[in-house]
Amino acid sequence: MTQQVEALLTEHFRYTPLSLIDDIINTVNTIIYRAIEAIENGLFSIPPQQLGYSPESSTSNPTASPNAEHPDAKDEIENGVHQLETLLEATVDKTFDKFEIYTLRNILTVPDDLAPWMRLGHYEGLTLPLPSITPTPESILGLRRKVQETRKLNHALRTTHASNATTIAQLRSLLSAPQPKSESEASPPSSSTTDPSLAFLISHPSATTLGLSFTQPSSSNTKAKDKTYNPLETNIQFFISQLPALRIALEKLKPRLKSLPQKIGDVDWESRREERRAYIEARVRKVIEGTGVGGGSGDVMGGVRIGREEVRDLERVVGGMEEDRMEE
C-alpha cells in the first residue's frame, strides 16, 4: 500500500486501516483470555475423582472425604491451562497475520492508478486547485494579528484623546474670566487652593491692542464671518514668515561681528571721546560761521556770546552723559 492510498483511506474512514485490524486482533485476544479463565475456574470446581484422579489411601488418612483435593490435580490443571493459552495465542497470531495481509491487499485498498482520480464526498462542489485569493491559515493569522494591533492602537489613541481633552478643558478654564458671585451665593473661603485665572492675558485692553484677544473684529472687510477669528495664530504665522528675512540679516551681520572687540575692556574709549569732541566742535563752528557772528575771545551762538570755557564745559557734560549711557 502506497502512502497516497493510505492517506486516502485514512481520510475516508477517519482512522488508519492498520488500526482497524489491530482492534480486531485485540478483541479476539480478549475473548481468548476470558475463555481460558472460565476453563480454569471450571476445572478447579470439579472434584479430582471426576477428572480421573484416584482417591488417597484410607490408611494414610482415614478421615479424608471422597471429594478431597488431590495433591497433583492443581498443578496439572494450571500447567494444562497455560499450555492451552500458549497454543491459542500462537494460533491466533499466525491466523490473523494472514488475515491482516489479505485485508490490506484485497479489501482495504485502492488501485494505485485509480487513487489520483478519486474524490471523496466532502470534496463535492469544490474547485481544485483553489484560487489564489483564497485565504490560507498563514494569511488569516496575519490578519488576526493586524486586528489585535489595530485595537491596541485604537485604545491608545482614545486614551490620549481623553487626556488631551482634559488638558484643553483645564487650559480653557484658566483663560475664562471668573464669574462674579452674589452675596447670597458667596461661600466662606476654603482651605483648598484654586487655579489662578489668566483671562487678563486676552481680555485686557493691551491684549486687544497687541492682537491677542479672541474677540471678533467689527470690521466689514472680513472675508468669512463664519470662520473663527484667531489673531494669535495669525501673528505666529507672520513671525514665521519673517524668519527667512531675519536669517539673511543675521548672515550679513556675522562678518561685522568679527571686527568688533571681544570684550568691553578692549574698547578705546579715549579715542571715541576725542572723536565726539571734534564732532561737537565742528558742528558748533559751523553754526557760528553760518550766523556770521564771531569773536576772538569766544564764540557766539544764536546772538549770545559764549566763551571757549563754556563750550568745553558743555563738551564735558555731553561726554559724561555718553559714558553713562554706554555703561548702562
Side-chain angles (χ1 to χ4, degrees), residues 147-157:
V147 170
Q148 293 177 356
E149 295 299 328
T150 304
R151 289 178 178 175
K152 292 181 181 178
L153 179 60
N154 187 17
H155 178 70
L157 291 176

Side-chain angles (χ1 to χ4, degrees), residues 288-308:
I288 294 174
E289 292 176 353
T291 55
V293 181
S297 61
D299 297 334
V300 178
M301 188 172 182
V304 180
R305 185 178 297 275
I306 301 176
R308 294 185 179 274

Side-chain angles (χ1 to χ4, degrees), residues 132-304:
S132 58
I133 60 174
T134 303
T136 61
E138 292 77 10
S139 62
I140 294 175
L141 181 61
L143 292 176
R144 287 179 178 175
R145 291 178 179 175
K146 289 183 180 179
V147 170
Q148 293 177 356
E149 295 299 328
T150 304
R151 289 178 178 175
K152 292 181 181 178
L153 179 60
N154 187 17
H155 178 70
L157 291 176
R158 290 181 179 274
T159 304
T160 306
H161 179 268
S163 177
N164 293 339
T166 303
T167 304
I168 291 174
Q170 293 176 354
L171 293 176
R172 287 179 177 174
S173 64
L174 292 177
L175 294 177
S176 60
Q179 299 293 335
K181 295 183 179 180
S182 59
E183 296 180 358
S184 59
E185 297 178 354
S187 58
S190 58
S191 59
S192 61
T193 59
T194 58
D195 296 332
S197 176
L198 304 178
F200 66 91
L201 295 176
I202 58 175
S203 60
H204 196 270
S206 300
T208 306
T209 305
L210 296 174
L212 299 178
S213 176
F214 290 94
T215 307
Q216 180 72 21
S218 59
S219 176
S220 60
N221 296 328
T222 54
K223 296 181 180 179
K225 295 182 179 181
D226 55 342
K227 294 183 180 180
T228 305
Y229 179 68
N230 196 348
L232 183 59
E233 182 179 356
T234 304
N235 292 338
I236 293 175
Q237 293 178 355
F238 174 74
F239 294 153
I240 294 174
S241 64
Q242 297 299 317
L243 287 178
L246 292 176
R247 291 194 183 98
I248 295 173
L250 183 60
E251 293 296 333
K252 292 181 179 180
L253 290 175
K254 283 182 179 180
R256 299 184 180 180
L257 290 176
K258 298 179 181 180
S259 61
L260 296 177
Q262 299 295 329
K263 299 180 180 179
I264 298 178
D266 298 338
V267 181
D268 189 4
W269 298 109
E270 295 296 333
S271 62
R272 291 183 177 274
R273 292 192 188 95
E274 294 296 333
E275 293 176 0
R276 184 68 179 172
R277 185 179 298 105
Y279 172 77
I280 294 174
E281 290 180 355
R283 296 297 297 178
V284 171
R285 189 177 297 106
K286 185 176 181 180
V287 171
I288 294 174
E289 292 176 353
T291 55
V293 181
S297 61
D299 297 334
V300 178
M301 188 172 182
V304 180

Side-chain angles (χ1 to χ4, degrees), residues 43 50-51 62 65 68 81 94 121 161 223 240 276 283:
L43 291 176
Q50 296 183 8
L51 296 177
S65 62
V81 170
K94 182 178 180 180
H161 179 268
K223 296 181 180 179
I240 294 174
R276 184 68 179 172
R283 296 297 297 178

Side-chain angles (χ1 to χ4, degrees), residues 60-130:
S60 61
N61 189 6
T63 60
S65 62
N67 294 330
E69 182 179 355
H70 194 275
D72 298 331
K74 183 176 180 181
D75 294 338
E76 292 181 358
I77 290 173
E78 290 179 353
N79 189 18
V81 170
H82 177 68
Q83 292 179 3
L84 177 62
E85 180 181 0
T86 304
L87 178 62
L88 289 177
E89 288 180 351
T91 303
V92 167
D93 291 341
K94 182 178 180 180
T95 303
F96 277 93
D97 285 343
K98 297 179 181 178
F99 170 76
E100 178 180 354
I101 295 172
Y102 179 82
T103 303
L104 294 177
R105 287 182 179 180
N106 300 283
I107 299 176
L108 300 177
T109 184
V110 176
D112 295 339
D113 57 346
L114 184 61
W117 303 97
M118 293 189 65
R119 175 178 292 181
L120 300 179
H122 53 274
Y123 286 126
E124 293 292 337
L126 294 179
T127 303
L128 297 176
L130 297 176

Side-chain angles (χ1 to χ4, degrees), residues 12-25:
H12 176 66
F13 292 118
R14 305 297 175 87
Y15 51 81
T16 59
L18 190 59
S19 63
L20 173 61
I21 297 175
D22 292 339
D23 290 341
I24 296 174
I25 296 174

